[in-house]
C-alpha cells in the first residue's frame, strides 16, 4: 500500500493521540526522573528504564507506526525527523524505504525472535527460580542496595537444590551463579536464543517491550505502550517471586518456596502469557509490513 492510500489522520486527531500518549507516559517517567534527582532507586520500576535502553524522553514521544498517514502541518515538521518520515502532498508517514541496513538487520533479528517464540509450546515449570539461582552459593546480592533478602542464604540455596531449574531465557540465565548454571536443564546462549525462547517465559514476555523499543519509529507508540505496561506487570511478578523483601515498596511476596506460592506464580505467569500473545502478534505484523514495504 502506498503512503497516499493509507488511512489519513487529521491534524487535530493525531495531535490528541500524541498528547494522550505523552500524558500517560509522564505518569511513569516523571516519578523516575524525580527518583534520580533524589538519588533513590525503585526495585521494580527503575529496572524498566535501566536494563531496557529506551530513554524516558523516547518513551514519551509518540509515533503513528507503519501504515498510518498523518495530515501534514507545522507540528509534524517539528516532531518527526525526515530521516524516518516522508512528507509528501500534504501527508506525513514513516518511510520504510529509508530503513538503513543496520536497522533492517536489527528488525529482522527482532522478527526472527518473535516468530520463533510463537512456534513453541509455553513452559510454566520454572516457578521464577532465576533470581534464586543468581544468589546461589554466596553469589553477589544484586539488589542489596535497595531491598534486603527475606530468607537466609542457606534457605535460598536449599530452594535451588529442591526444584529443577528450567530457565530458557539467555538474559536471565547468564546472571546465574556458576554452580546454578550447571543445574539448569538448558544451557541457553546468545547465538541460539531463538532456539530456546518460549511464550510462557516471563522474561520473553517482558522483552516484548525491548523489541518494540528497538523497532521505533516503525512500530506504533500505542503498541510500545502496551508492551511497556505488560513489562511492568511481568517485573512485579518477577520480583515478588524472588528471595528479596519488597514489602517496604508495597509488594507482598509470592513464596515460590511453597506449593501454594508456586501455584500462584504459575497462575500469574499464564495470565501474563495470555496478555502477551496478541502483543507479540501485533509486533510481528508491524515488523513484517515494515520489512516488506516497497
Amino acid at each position: 500500500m502506498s503512503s497516499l492510500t493509507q488511512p489519513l489522520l487529521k491534524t487535530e486527531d493525531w495531535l490528541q493521540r500524541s498528547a494522550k500518549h505523552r500524558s500517560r507516559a509522564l505518569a511513569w517517567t516523571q516519578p523516575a526522573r524525580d527518583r534520580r534527582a533524589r538519588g533513590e532507586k525503585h526495585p521494580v520500576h527503575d529496572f524498566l528504564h535501566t536494563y531496557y535502553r529506551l530513554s524516558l524522553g523516547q518513551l514519551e514521544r509518540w509515533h503513528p507506526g507503519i501504515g498510518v498517514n498523518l495530515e501534514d502541518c507545522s507540528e509534524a515538521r517539528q516532531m518527526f525527523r525526515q530521516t524516518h518520515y516522508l512528507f509528501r502532498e500534504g501527508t506525513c508517514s514513516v518511510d520504510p524505504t529509508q530503513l538503513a541496513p543496520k536497522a533492517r538487520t536489527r528488525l529482522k533479528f527482532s522478527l526472527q525472535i518473535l516468530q520463533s517464540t510463537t512456534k513453541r509450546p509455553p513452559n510454566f515449570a520454572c516457578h521464577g527460580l532465576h533470581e534464586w539461582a543468581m544468589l546461589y552459593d554466596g553469589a553477589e546480592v544484586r539488589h542489596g542496595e535497595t531491598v534486603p533478602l527475606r530468607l537466609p542464604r542457606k534457605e535460598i540455596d536449599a530452594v535451588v537444590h529442591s526444584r529443577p531449574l528450567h530457565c530458557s531465557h539467555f538474559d536471565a540465565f547468564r546472571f546465574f551463579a556458576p554452580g546454578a548454571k550447571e543445574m539448569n536443564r538448558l544451557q541457553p546462549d546468545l547465538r541460539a536464543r531463538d532456539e530456546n525462547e518460549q511464550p510462557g517465559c516471563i522474561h520473553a514476555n517482558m522483552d516484548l517491550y525491548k523489541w518494540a523499543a528497538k523497532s521505533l519509529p516503525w512500530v506504533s507508540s500505542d503498541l510500545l505502550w502496551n508492551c511497556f505496561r505488560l513489562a511492568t506487570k511481568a517485573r512485579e511478578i518477577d520480583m515478588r517471586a524472588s528471595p528479596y523483601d519488597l514489602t517496604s515498596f508495597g509488594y507482598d511476596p509470592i513464596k515460590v518456596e511453597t506449593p501454594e506460592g508456586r501455584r500462584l506464580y504459575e497462575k500469574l505467569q499464564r495470565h501474563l502469557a495470555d496478555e502477551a500473545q496478541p502483543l507479540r502478534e501485533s509486533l510481528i505484523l508491524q515488523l513484517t509490513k515494515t520489512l516488506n514495504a516497497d
Side-chain angles (χ1 to χ4, degrees), residues 14-55:
W14 72 256
L15 284 176
Q16 287 179 351
R17 295 190 186 193
S18 176
K20 178 183 177 181
H21 173 76
R22 178 173 172 78
S23 177
R24 65 189 178 186
L26 279 170
W28 287 85
T29 58
Q30 191 55 54
R33 290 189 178 96
D34 293 343
R35 286 193 298 273
R36 287 180 184 178
R38 296 191 300 266
E40 298 175 358
K41 294 182 180 180
H42 193 289
V44 174
H45 297 166
D46 287 343
F47 174 84
L48 301 171
H49 306 306
T50 54
Y51 179 76
Y52 297 117
R53 300 299 181 88
L54 193 71
S55 71

Side-chain angles (χ1 to χ4, degrees), residues 167-175 188-190 193 197:
C167 184
S168 59
H169 192 74
F170 168 72
D171 281 328
F173 175 75
R174 67 190 177 101
F175 292 109
D189 59 47
L190 180 60
R193 65 182 304 164
E197 297 281 292

